[in-house]
Amino acid sequence: MAAQRPLPVLRERRVAHPDPEAFVQFARNSVAAVAKGYPAPLKCVEAVAASIKPFEEGVAIERQLFIELVSSPESKALRHAFFAERAAGRFPTCQRTRPPAPSVPPR
C-alpha cells in the first residue's frame, strides 16, 4: 500500500458490500439483542451506517451521535464511577488487601 502513489483519499472510498442496508439492519438487530438498556452500542452501529451516505453527511451524523452519547446520563454516571474508583484508592483506609477481581463484560 505504501508503494502506491498517490495514496487513496479515504473520503472518496465507497462501501463495497453488495447490500449495505441489509447488512446494517442485521447489525442493528444483533446489537439490539445483546445491548439491552445501553445506548452506545446502537449509536455505534448508526455511526457505521452513516458511512453509506456521502462523506460530509456521514461525518455530521457521527458527530451528532457522539454529542448525544457524551451528554447522556449513562455517560455522566460512567465518568463519575471512573473517577470515584480512582479517588477511593487514595484513602489509606481503602487500601486493597487482595488483588482486584477480573472485570466481567456486561451481558
Side-chain angles (χ1 to χ4, degrees):
M1 182 73 178
Q4 179 185 353
R5 299 286 182 202
L7 294 175
V9 179
L10 183 60
R11 69 176 33 210
E12 294 173 359
R13 290 184 66 187
R14 298 289 170 239
V15 175
H17 196 278
D19 191 2
E21 292 293 340
F23 182 78
V24 169
Q25 189 57 47
F26 173 77
R28 282 185 189 113
N29 295 340
S30 299
V31 170
V34 176
K36 293 181 173 100
Y38 294 103
L42 286 172
K43 299 278 187 182
C44 289
V45 172
E46 294 308 318
V48 171
S51 69
I52 297 170
K53 301 178 186 298
F55 183 80
E56 294 301 328
E57 187 180 343
V59 169
I61 291 170
E62 183 179 356
R63 177 172 170 70
Q64 182 59 39
L65 293 170
F66 175 78
I67 290 169
E68 289 172 17
L69 285 173
V70 164
S71 61
S72 72
E74 293 86 358
S75 175
K76 292 175 185 174
L78 287 169
R79 285 193 304 269
H80 175 79
F82 175 84
F83 288 114
E85 182 179 288
R86 269 118 196 104
R90 290 193 291 257
F91 293 105
T93 58
C94 294
Q95 296 299 320
R96 290 191 172 139
T97 57
R98 59 186 172 141
S103 61
V104 178
R107 291 189 276 154

